[in-house]
Amino acid sequence: MAVVGEEVSNKQIILKEYVSGFPKESDMVVKTGTIRLQLPEDSKNAILVKNLYLSCDPYMRGRMRKMEDSYVESFTPGSPITGYGVARVLDSGHPNFKKGDLVWGITGWEEYSVIKAQESVFKIQNTNVALSYYTGILGMPGMTAYVGFYELCSPKQGEYVFVSAASGAVGQLVGQFAKLLGCYVVGSAGTKEKVDLLKNKFGFDEAFNYKEEDLEATLKRYFPNGIDIYFENVGGKMLDAVLLNMRLRGRIAMCGMISQYNLEQPEGIHNLFCLITKRVRMEGFVVPDYYHMYPKFLDMILPHIKEGKITYVEDIAEGLESAPAALIGLFVGHNVGKQVVVVARE
Amino acid sequence: MAVVGEEVSNKQIILKEYVSGFPKESDMVVKTGTIRLQLPEDSKNAILVKNLYLSCDPYMRGRMRKMEDSYVESFTPGSPITGYGVARVLDSGHPNFKKGDLVWGITGWEEYSVIKAQESVFKIQNTNVALSYYTGILGMPGMTAYVGFYELCSPKQGEYVFVSAASGAVGQLVGQFAKLLGCYVVGSAGTKEKVDLLKNKFGFDEAFNYKEEDLEATLKRYFPNGIDIYFENVGGKMLDAVLLNMRLRGRIAMCGMISQYNLEQPEGIHNLFCLITKRVRMEGFVVPDYYHMYPKFLDMILPHIKEGKITYVEDIAEGLESAPAALIGLFVGHNVGKQVVVVARE
């Protein structure tokens, strides 16, 4: 048990240099520093936390390169990786947080962090669910699925929905939201195990392994009348195949493009003329723009979790040291479900 | 003067075969048949018309190839080209049209046509403007500019607007609509003459020759804060350069992609990830979906024309025989303004 004011060791995951091409575990290094478990006197609005769970998310790849004026800040080489996590407040200089509170939001890849940007930190009110859920279904990925599907896609009962990267942190929820609404839902994933999960655990109507199929023909087979809603997580060849199979007045929510993040030059998309002929709307979004809707989201999702109507699969890596491998694993699809790293179980 | 019931010669422009690659004048042939200037007894809902003006529009390229389930029907090889035009009714089997009416809508590339699909024919009520305007500013291209800009782009005063193919049938109007609303407007075109027209005649704030500039750098220079609205007429490299220069929450109305129509395989678009980072909405449309708004459009535009607040430049080719060259000319940018063919001046 950490004692206030005590100086303790603080293991950290440091990004060594900016990364080009495919990231490797060796782009990060584990380092051990020290931290005093008390905020300095003048730490107005900061909080000191003990990190419990860390989240591995595809968007973090972008932060490994030098970017200017981008939608997310680049990591700082030589400093710890930052990202979403769940943490316990040990000391607070902010009126909204007090010692003992549980929070989720942007923290450091280390045992203890001082967090300064409170607008990105939410106090956890509901603790009778797995705390790790606040890195996934009850955190950023959950909000992403919610906003992308309900706000951007204007879904209606009976519509035809396709989700790529469908067993991932976001995709598994989009599929279940669509089923709850009475849509027909097909998902793609990259292994037989994940395809089975989509059909047997998440209730997708159909699912297929994108590595083994002709994408255009497979989508044509599963969507003879076309796709009303596409939740885009991957980009590249999948997007091109989807464009050919969209239905009149279809909608595409652009959430991410994981297939493109490690390429020097993104693949070209050739079938955008289909947006015209099919009158399709394609829209990109970034979930923090919608965080004001978080309370509304919780009101919707917590009862569904309690009643067992929505389920969530996590892939949990043990220990901060396992974080680099877990993050890299996202880009080859090693994770089955939401990739979480446990730093400490209390 | 045509006499009812008389049999007269009827010159026609026939598509010889489906076309691949760049279309040539020799893909079409002038043929002379005959037509009796009276509808047969059982011609319910048909009208017989004398064609006055024909419209050359980029979307017609698509109809020169064999397409199934497309948004427009392919032409029929061996039959006359069809397209928008202005015509005088000589005989009518339809209760809404009577002999002597002027109409605009889909007709044949010939001197006289029997038109069967009345839903695509509008009666011309206002004749104190150039009749050829009903192939352009008061016809399909006018509605296209109106719908694409006002309905799809949700424009606001002071926003930054970019229009490609800006001196064309649609682009010149989008630019003027944007100026009327108090936007900053830049256009691109393919000759110095057209660039001058944009700045001096249509009141664009800036204009450039896309053939002579680095697109990405030029857009960056004209839009240091980014583009709020892009009216897309060309596709390809221009779209890629625009994506890099969009502003947060920008909107792209996808009207056409003339740079791609004669390619066997469309160019790849590499910068779609910008839709996510900039939260951009990109939406395709096909103007006949909005023809119910035509009366509202006329109410808006006719006073502007009368008061000289909106101007329109046409490129008029004389005689039906000149139609194939005029159509082909669109794809190399020969036309300055809206390309019209005069079949007959009454």
Side-chain angles (χ1 to χ4, degrees):
Chain A
M1 186 62 195
V3 176
V4 172
E6 186 185 4
E7 183 163 285
V8 298
S9 76
N10 189 21
K11 223 180 300 175
Q12 304 182 310
I13 307 294
I14 308 287
L15 180 72
K16 292 203 283 202
E17 302 281 355
Y18 288 124
V19 177
S20 68
F22 210 96
K24 304 175 298 297
E25 279 187 58
S26 59
D27 292 323
M28 292 163 270
V29 65
V30 185
K31 212 172 112 177
T32 301
T34 59
I35 187 169
R36 189 156 170 264
L37 294 186
Q38 188 166 32
L39 288 168
E41 280 299 318
D42 59 344
S43 303
K44 212 182 146 207
N45 288 335
I47 55 177
L48 169 72
V49 300
K50 179 182 181 186
N51 293 308
L52 306 177
Y53 297 93
L54 297 176
S55 179
C56 296
D57 296 295
Y59 84 93
M60 297 170 78
R61 174 62 188 88
R63 304 184 63 194
M64 290 183 163
R65 65 172 66 89
K66 177 88 193 142
M67 298 183 295
E68 273 161 33
D69 297 330
S70 185
Y71 73 122
V72 283
E73 268 183 45
S74 296
F75 293 134
T76 307
S79 292
I81 303 273
T82 58
Y84 286 95
V86 173
R88 176 78 73 183
V89 177
L90 300 184
D91 193 8
S92 175
H94 192 287
N96 295 353
F97 300 96
K98 63 176 197 304
K99 187 180 163 179
D101 281 348
L102 284 163
V103 296
W104 74 267
I106 297 290
T107 185
W109 277 29
E110 54 194 345
E111 291 174 281
Y112 302 95
S113 298
V114 174
I115 310 177
K116 283 186 181 135
Q118 279 71 21
E119 64 275 21
S120 66
V121 177
F122 297 82
K123 195 188 295 196
I124 293 174
Q125 313 282 2
N126 196 307
T127 54
N128 56 3
V129 290
L131 273 184
S132 56
Y133 273 17
Y134 288 94
T135 67
I137 183 171
L138 297 176
M140 182 276 282
M143 273 296 285
T144 301
Y146 177 74
V147 164
F149 184 64
Y150 292 109
E151 295 296 309
L152 274 80
C153 293
S154 318
K156 289 184 285 293
Q157 186 180 0
E159 286 196 314
Y160 303 109
V161 177
F162 177 57
V163 186
S164 56
S167 70
V170 176
Q172 57 176 296
L173 289 174
V174 175
Q176 292 180 82
F177 290 162
K179 285 311 301 174
L180 279 174
L181 193 64
C183 297
Y184 166 85
V185 188
V186 179
S188 65
T191 65
K192 184 178 181 308
E193 177 189 8
K194 294 180 190 179
V195 167
D196 289 344
L197 208 55
L198 293 178
K199 288 199 278 198
N200 303 327
K201 177 128 187 139
F202 301 130
F204 283 60
D205 295 286
E206 300 286 351
F208 65 92
N209 183 341
Y210 72 89
K211 294 176 180 169
E212 294 181 348
E213 306 290 343
D214 173 314
L215 300 178
E216 186 188 338
T218 303
L219 290 172
K220 180 109 198 144
R221 193 166 71 244
Y222 286 130
F223 296 96
N225 299 314
I227 299 167
D228 290 303
I229 290 176
Y230 173 47
F231 198 100
E232 165 68 307
N233 289 313
V234 304
K237 289 175 183 63
M238 183 66 90
L239 177 55
D240 247 345
V242 166
L243 285 167
L244 293 173
N245 282 285
M246 288 301 289
R247 200 175 183 201
L248 222 58
R249 296 183 185 77
R251 290 132 271 151
I252 300 177
M254 310 275 280
C255 172
M257 293 190 163
I258 194 171
S259 74
Q260 307 296 298
Y261 294 165
N262 300 309
L263 305 177
E264 289 298 311
Q265 153 89 321
E267 289 176 272
I269 300 298
H270 296 271
N271 299 323
L272 287 175
F273 193 68
C274 296
L275 297 183
I276 299 178
T277 59
K278 313 274 184 70
R279 295 83 153 159
V280 171
R281 189 179 75 212
M282 184 150 105
E283 188 169 358
F285 71 107
V286 173
V287 72
D289 294 351
Y290 298 85
Y291 278 168
H292 59 278
M293 299 175 66
Y294 185 63
K296 191 178 155 203
F297 165 67
L298 281 185
D299 287 348
M300 182 279 272
I301 198 143
L302 284 170
H304 283 314
I305 296 174
K306 197 176 289 178
E307 294 161 24
K309 287 190 182 156
I310 287 187
T311 187
Y312 200 64
V313 170
E314 298 178 316
D315 193 330
I316 301 209
E318 289 292 332
L320 185 63
E321 295 86 348
S322 67
L327 178 58
I328 302 304
L330 285 182
F331 302 103
V332 287
H334 272 169
N335 57 308
V336 177
K338 166 68 197 170
Q339 182 65 60
V340 186
V341 175
V342 189
V343 183
R345 292 183 202 274
E346 288 189 313
Chain B
M1 183 63 194
V3 176
V4 171
E6 186 185 5
E7 184 163 284
V8 297
S9 74
N10 189 21
K11 224 180 299 174
Q12 303 182 309
I13 307 295
I14 307 288
L15 180 72
K16 291 204 283 202
E17 304 279 356
Y18 288 124
V19 176
S20 68
F22 212 95
K24 304 175 298 298
E25 279 187 58
S26 60
D27 292 324
M28 293 163 268
V29 65
V30 184
K31 211 172 111 176
T32 302
T34 59
I35 187 168
R36 189 156 170 262
L37 293 186
Q38 189 166 30
L39 288 168
E41 280 299 319
D42 60 343
S43 302
K44 214 180 146 207
N45 288 335
I47 56 176
L48 169 72
V49 301
K50 179 182 181 185
N51 293 308
L52 305 177
Y53 297 93
L54 297 177
S55 179
C56 296
D57 296 296
Y59 84 93
M60 297 169 79
R61 174 62 189 89
R63 304 185 63 195
M64 291 184 162
R65 65 172 67 90
K66 179 85 191 144
M67 298 183 295
E68 273 160 33
D69 298 328
S70 184
Y71 74 121
V72 284
E73 268 183 46
S74 296
F75 293 134
T76 308
S79 293
I81 302 272
T82 58
Y84 285 95
V86 172
R88 175 78 73 181
V89 177
L90 300 183
D91 193 8
S92 174
H94 191 289
N96 294 354
F97 300 96
K98 63 177 195 303
K99 187 180 161 178
D101 282 350
L102 284 163
V103 295
W104 74 268
I106 297 291
T107 186
W109 277 30
E110 54 194 345
E111 291 174 281
Y112 302 94
S113 297
V114 174
I115 310 177
K116 282 184 183 137
Q118 279 72 22
E119 64 274 21
S120 66
V121 177
F122 297 82
K123 195 189 296 198
I124 293 174
Q125 313 280 2
N126 197 307
T127 54
N128 56 4
V129 290
L131 273 185
S132 56
Y133 273 16
Y134 289 94
T135 67
I137 184 171
L138 297 176
M140 181 276 283
M143 273 295 286
T144 301
Y146 177 75
V147 164
F149 184 64
Y150 291 108
E151 295 295 310
L152 273 80
C153 293
S154 320
K156 289 184 285 292
Q157 187 182 359
E159 285 196 314
Y160 303 109
V161 177
F162 177 56
V163 187
S164 56
S167 71
V170 176
Q172 57 177 296
L173 289 174
V174 175
Q176 292 180 83
F177 291 161
K179 284 313 300 173
L180 280 174
L181 192 65
C183 297
Y184 166 85
V185 188
V186 178
S188 65
T191 65
K192 183 178 182 310
E193 178 189 8
K194 294 180 191 180
V195 167
D196 289 345
L197 208 55
L198 292 178
K199 288 198 277 198
N200 303 327
K201 177 125 187 142
F202 301 130
F204 283 60
D205 295 286
E206 300 286 352
F208 66 91
N209 183 341
Y210 71 90
K211 294 176 180 170
E212 293 181 349
E213 306 290 344
D214 174 315
L215 300 179
E216 186 187 336
T218 304
L219 290 173
K220 182 108 200 144
R221 193 167 71 243
Y222 285 130
F223 296 96
N225 299 314
I227 299 167
D228 289 303
I229 290 176
Y230 173 47
F231 198 99
E232 164 67 306
N233 289 312
V234 305
K237 290 176 183 61
M238 183 65 91
L239 177 55
D240 247 346
V242 166
L243 286 167
L244 292 173
N245 282 286
M246 287 300 292
R247 200 176 183 203
L248 222 58
R249 294 181 188 79
R251 290 132 270 150
I252 300 177
M254 309 275 280
C255 171
M257 292 190 163
I258 195 170
S259 74
Q260 306 297 298
Y261 294 166
N262 301 309
L263 306 177
E264 290 298 310
Q265 154 88 322
E267 290 176 271
I269 301 297
H270 296 271
N271 298 324
L272 287 176
F273 193 67
C274 295
L275 297 183
I276 298 178
T277 59
K278 313 274 185 68
R279 296 83 154 159
V280 171
R281 189 179 74 212
M282 183 150 106
E283 187 169 359
F285 72 106
V286 173
V287 71
D289 294 351
Y290 298 85
Y291 277 169
H292 59 278
M293 298 174 68
Y294 185 63
K296 190 178 157 205
F297 165 67
L298 282 185
D299 287 348
M300 182 278 271
I301 198 141
L302 284 170
H304 283 314
I305 296 174
K306 197 176 288 179
E307 294 161 23
K309 285 190 184 155
I310 287 187
T311 188
Y312 200 63
V313 170
E314 298 178 316
D315 194 330
I316 301 209
E318 288 292 332
L320 185 62
E321 295 85 350
S322 68
L327 179 58
I328 302 304
L330 286 182
F331 302 103
V332 287
H334 272 168
N335 58 307
V336 177
K338 166 67 198 169
Q339 183 65 60
V340 186
V341 175
V342 188
V343 183
R345 292 183 203 274
E346 288 189 313

mmCIF file of all heavy atoms in Angstrom, chain B residues 295-317:
data_model
loop_
_atom_site.group_PDB
_atom_site.id
_atom_site.type_symbol
_atom_site.label_atom_id
_atom_site.label_comp_id
_atom_site.label_asym_id
_atom_site.label_seq_id
_atom_site.Cartn_x
_atom_site.Cartn_y
_atom_site.Cartn_z
ATOM 1 N N PRO B 295 -39.281 24.362 -58.402
ATOM 2 C CA PRO B 295 -39.995 25.657 -58.293
ATOM 3 C C PRO B 295 -39.346 26.603 -57.282
ATOM 4 O O PRO B 295 -39.226 27.805 -57.529
ATOM 5 C CB PRO B 295 -41.406 25.238 -57.846
ATOM 6 C CG PRO B 295 -41.550 23.813 -58.296
ATOM 7 C CD PRO B 295 -40.176 23.215 -58.164
ATOM 8 N N LYS B 296 -38.904 26.052 -56.163
ATOM 9 C CA LYS B 296 -38.226 26.856 -55.136
ATOM 10 C C LYS B 296 -36.928 27.446 -55.700
ATOM 11 O O LYS B 296 -36.582 28.609 -55.440
ATOM 12 C CB LYS B 296 -37.935 25.937 -53.935
ATOM 13 C CG LYS B 296 -37.459 26.640 -52.692
ATOM 14 C CD LYS B 296 -37.258 25.630 -51.545
ATOM 15 C CE LYS B 296 -36.282 26.178 -50.520
ATOM 16 N NZ LYS B 296 -35.602 25.124 -49.745
ATOM 17 N N PHE B 297 -36.228 26.646 -56.469
ATOM 18 C CA PHE B 297 -34.990 27.097 -57.105
ATOM 19 C C PHE B 297 -35.263 28.267 -58.063
ATOM 20 O O PHE B 297 -34.565 29.285 -58.040
ATOM 21 C CB PHE B 297 -34.358 25.917 -57.856
ATOM 22 C CG PHE B 297 -33.287 26.303 -58.835
ATOM 23 C CD1 PHE B 297 -32.080 26.838 -58.407
ATOM 24 C CD2 PHE B 297 -33.481 26.122 -60.203
ATOM 25 C CE1 PHE B 297 -31.091 27.186 -59.318
ATOM 26 C CE2 PHE B 297 -32.499 26.459 -61.116
ATOM 27 C CZ PHE B 297 -31.303 26.998 -60.678
ATOM 28 N N LEU B 298 -36.299 28.129 -58.877
ATOM 29 C CA LEU B 298 -36.634 29.209 -59.821
ATOM 30 C C LEU B 298 -36.967 30.498 -59.079
ATOM 31 O O LEU B 298 -36.552 31.590 -59.486
ATOM 32 C CB LEU B 298 -37.836 28.801 -60.693
ATOM 33 C CG LEU B 298 -37.570 27.851 -61.860
ATOM 34 C CD1 LEU B 298 -38.847 27.675 -62.676
ATOM 35 C CD2 LEU B 298 -36.433 28.336 -62.763
ATOM 36 N N ASP B 299 -37.717 30.364 -57.992
ATOM 37 C CA ASP B 299 -38.065 31.552 -57.194
ATOM 38 C C ASP B 299 -36.815 32.276 -56.715
ATOM 39 O O ASP B 299 -36.788 33.495 -56.585
ATOM 40 C CB ASP B 299 -38.903 31.156 -55.966
ATOM 41 C CG ASP B 299 -40.317 30.761 -56.344
ATOM 42 O OD1 ASP B 299 -40.714 31.011 -57.512
ATOM 43 O OD2 ASP B 299 -41.015 30.194 -55.487
ATOM 44 N N MET B 300 -35.790 31.510 -56.416
ATOM 45 C CA MET B 300 -34.547 32.117 -55.947
ATOM 46 C C MET B 300 -33.768 32.728 -57.098
ATOM 47 O O MET B 300 -33.287 33.857 -57.017
ATOM 48 C CB MET B 300 -33.695 31.038 -55.241
ATOM 49 C CG MET B 300 -32.378 31.543 -54.652
ATOM 50 S SD MET B 300 -31.013 31.690 -55.851
ATOM 51 C CE MET B 300 -30.322 30.055 -55.747
ATOM 52 N N ILE B 301 -33.629 31.985 -58.182
ATOM 53 C CA ILE B 301 -32.635 32.382 -59.182
ATOM 54 C C ILE B 301 -33.146 33.406 -60.194
ATOM 55 O O ILE B 301 -32.375 34.263 -60.654
ATOM 56 C CB ILE B 301 -32.029 31.150 -59.886
ATOM 57 C CG1 ILE B 301 -30.722 31.547 -60.579
ATOM 58 C CG2 ILE B 301 -32.996 30.512 -60.879
ATOM 59 C CD1 ILE B 301 -29.652 30.547 -60.508
ATOM 60 N N LEU B 302 -34.428 33.347 -60.533
ATOM 61 C CA LEU B 302 -34.917 34.271 -61.568
ATOM 62 C C LEU B 302 -34.717 35.747 -61.184
ATOM 63 O O LEU B 302 -34.218 36.528 -62.002
ATOM 64 C CB LEU B 302 -36.376 33.964 -61.921
ATOM 65 C CG LEU B 302 -36.573 32.718 -62.815
ATOM 66 C CD1 LEU B 302 -38.059 32.341 -62.902
ATOM 67 C CD2 LEU B 302 -35.987 32.912 -64.212
ATOM 68 N N PRO B 303 -35.059 36.147 -59.966
ATOM 69 C CA PRO B 303 -34.801 37.546 -59.588
ATOM 70 C C PRO B 303 -33.313 37.910 -59.660
ATOM 71 O O PRO B 303 -32.957 39.006 -60.085
ATOM 72 C CB PRO B 303 -35.301 37.633 -58.143
ATOM 73 C CG PRO B 303 -36.235 36.484 -57.987
ATOM 74 C CD PRO B 303 -35.758 35.407 -58.899
ATOM 75 N N HIS B 304 -32.448 36.982 -59.267
ATOM 76 C CA HIS B 304 -31.007 37.255 -59.335
ATOM 77 C C HIS B 304 -30.567 37.483 -60.771
ATOM 78 O O HIS B 304 -29.707 38.330 -61.038
ATOM 79 C CB HIS B 304 -30.208 36.102 -58.726
ATOM 80 C CG HIS B 304 -30.206 36.083 -57.233
ATOM 81 N ND1 HIS B 304 -29.976 37.201 -56.474
ATOM 82 C CD2 HIS B 304 -30.390 35.071 -56.358
ATOM 83 C CE1 HIS B 304 -30.029 36.883 -55.196
ATOM 84 N NE2 HIS B 304 -30.287 35.597 -55.094
ATOM 85 N N ILE B 305 -31.105 36.710 -61.690
ATOM 86 C CA ILE B 305 -30.752 36.900 -63.112
ATOM 87 C C ILE B 305 -31.264 38.261 -63.583
ATOM 88 O O ILE B 305 -30.535 39.042 -64.197
ATOM 89 C CB ILE B 305 -31.338 35.762 -63.978
ATOM 90 C CG1 ILE B 305 -30.716 34.411 -63.601
ATOM 91 C CG2 ILE B 305 -31.113 36.039 -65.471
ATOM 92 C CD1 ILE B 305 -31.330 33.208 -64.302
ATOM 93 N N LYS B 306 -32.517 38.542 -63.256
ATOM 94 C CA LYS B 306 -33.143 39.796 -63.689
ATOM 95 C C LYS B 306 -32.368 41.011 -63.168
ATOM 96 O O LYS B 306 -32.160 41.997 -63.873
ATOM 97 C CB LYS B 306 -34.598 39.827 -63.186
ATOM 98 C CG LYS B 306 -35.473 40.855 -63.884
ATOM 99 C CD LYS B 306 -36.930 40.765 -63.401
ATOM 100 C CE LYS B 306 -37.638 39.522 -63.932
ATOM 101 N NZ LYS B 306 -39.036 39.427 -63.440
ATOM 102 N N GLU B 307 -31.932 40.918 -61.920
ATOM 103 C CA GLU B 307 -31.210 42.048 -61.311
ATOM 104 C C GLU B 307 -29.715 42.064 -61.663
ATOM 105 O O GLU B 307 -28.966 42.901 -61.160
ATOM 106 C CB GLU B 307 -31.367 41.992 -59.786
ATOM 107 C CG GLU B 307 -32.806 42.213 -59.331
ATOM 108 C CD GLU B 307 -33.050 41.709 -57.900
ATOM 109 O OE1 GLU B 307 -32.069 41.598 -57.126
ATOM 110 O OE2 GLU B 307 -34.220 41.414 -57.575
ATOM 111 N N GLY B 308 -29.290 41.100 -62.490
ATOM 112 C CA GLY B 308 -27.881 41.074 -62.900
ATOM 113 C C GLY B 308 -26.938 40.641 -61.799
ATOM 114 O O GLY B 308 -25.725 40.850 -61.884
ATOM 115 N N LYS B 309 -27.472 40.018 -60.753
ATOM 116 C CA LYS B 309 -26.600 39.600 -59.638
ATOM 117 C C LYS B 309 -25.932 38.249 -59.910
ATOM 118 O O LYS B 309 -24.969 37.882 -59.242
ATOM 119 C CB LYS B 309 -27.410 39.517 -58.344
ATOM 120 C CG LYS B 309 -27.729 40.887 -57.785
ATOM 121 C CD LYS B 309 -28.309 40.769 -56.396
ATOM 122 C CE LYS B 309 -28.723 42.126 -55.870
ATOM 123 N NZ LYS B 309 -29.775 42.011 -54.853
ATOM 124 N N ILE B 310 -26.523 37.507 -60.846
ATOM 125 C CA ILE B 310 -25.901 36.258 -61.267
ATOM 126 C C ILE B 310 -25.806 36.284 -62.783
ATOM 127 O O ILE B 310 -26.761 36.663 -63.472
ATOM 128 C CB ILE B 310 -26.710 35.028 -60.786
ATOM 129 C CG1 ILE B 310 -26.528 34.852 -59.282
ATOM 130 C CG2 ILE B 310 -26.275 33.764 -61.524
ATOM 131 C CD1 ILE B 310 -27.133 33.583 -58.722
ATOM 132 N N THR B 311 -24.643 35.920 -63.275
ATOM 133 C CA THR B 311 -24.437 35.898 -64.721
ATOM 134 C C THR B 311 -24.137 34.463 -65.147
ATOM 135 O O THR B 311 -23.875 33.601 -64.306
ATOM 136 C CB THR B 311 -23.300 36.871 -65.096
ATOM 137 O OG1 THR B 311 -23.225 36.973 -66.501
ATOM 138 C CG2 THR B 311 -21.971 36.396 -64.542
ATOM 139 N N TYR B 312 -24.210 34.203 -66.458
ATOM 140 C CA TYR B 312 -23.994 32.838 -66.919
ATOM 141 C C TYR B 312 -23.343 32.869 -68.288
ATOM 142 O O TYR B 312 -23.809 33.559 -69.194
ATOM 143 C CB TYR B 312 -25.334 32.086 -66.980
ATOM 144 C CG TYR B 312 -25.167 30.588 -66.971
ATOM 145 C CD1 TYR B 312 -24.601 29.948 -65.879
ATOM 146 C CD2 TYR B 312 -25.566 29.807 -68.056
ATOM 147 C CE1 TYR B 312 -24.432 28.574 -65.853
ATOM 148 C CE2 TYR B 312 -25.406 28.426 -68.039
ATOM 149 C CZ TYR B 312 -24.836 27.816 -66.938
ATOM 150 O OH TYR B 312 -24.673 26.459 -66.911
ATOM 151 N N VAL B 313 -22.248 32.129 -68.416
ATOM 152 C CA VAL B 313 -21.525 32.091 -69.692
ATOM 153 C C VAL B 313 -21.785 30.757 -70.379
ATOM 154 O O VAL B 313 -21.631 29.692 -69.778
ATOM 155 C CB VAL B 313 -20.010 32.298 -69.455
ATOM 156 C CG1 VAL B 313 -19.229 32.015 -70.732
ATOM 157 C CG2 VAL B 313 -19.747 33.723 -68.981
ATOM 158 N N GLU B 314 -22.215 30.864 -71.628
ATOM 159 C CA GLU B 314 -22.494 29.674 -72.429
ATOM 160 C C GLU B 314 -21.511 29.603 -73.597
ATOM 161 O O GLU B 314 -21.064 30.632 -74.101
ATOM 162 C CB GLU B 314 -23.909 29.753 -73.013
ATOM 163 C CG GLU B 314 -24.995 29.793 -71.966
ATOM 164 C CD GLU B 314 -26.382 29.926 -72.588
ATOM 165 O OE1 GLU B 314 -26.546 30.748 -73.516
ATOM 166 O OE2 GLU B 314 -27.273 29.188 -72.156
ATOM 167 N N ASP B 315 -21.229 28.409 -74.027
ATOM 168 C CA ASP B 315 -20.396 28.174 -75.205
ATOM 169 C C ASP B 315 -21.311 27.483 -76.204
ATOM 170 O O ASP B 315 -21.687 26.329 -76.032
ATOM 171 C CB ASP B 315 -19.220 27.283 -74.797
ATOM 172 C CG ASP B 315 -18.133 27.247 -75.848
ATOM 173 O OD1 ASP B 315 -18.458 27.399 -77.048
ATOM 174 O OD2 ASP B 315 -16.959 27.066 -75.474
ATOM 175 N N ILE B 316 -21.699 28.225 -77.220
ATOM 176 C CA ILE B 316 -22.773 27.725 -78.090
ATOM 177 C C ILE B 316 -22.225 27.191 -79.404
ATOM 178 O O ILE B 316 -21.551 27.923 -80.155
ATOM 179 C CB ILE B 316 -23.816 28.837 -78.331
ATOM 180 C CG1 ILE B 316 -24.385 29.264 -76.967
ATOM 181 C CG2 ILE B 316 -24.901 28.359 -79.291
ATOM 182 C CD1 ILE B 316 -25.775 29.778 -76.967
ATOM 183 N N ALA B 317 -22.478 25.922 -79.679
ATOM 184 C CA ALA B 317 -22.085 25.305 -80.947
ATOM 185 C C ALA B 317 -23.290 25.327 -81.877
ATOM 186 O O ALA B 317 -24.422 25.060 -81.443
ATOM 187 C CB ALA B 317 -21.628 23.874 -80.706
#
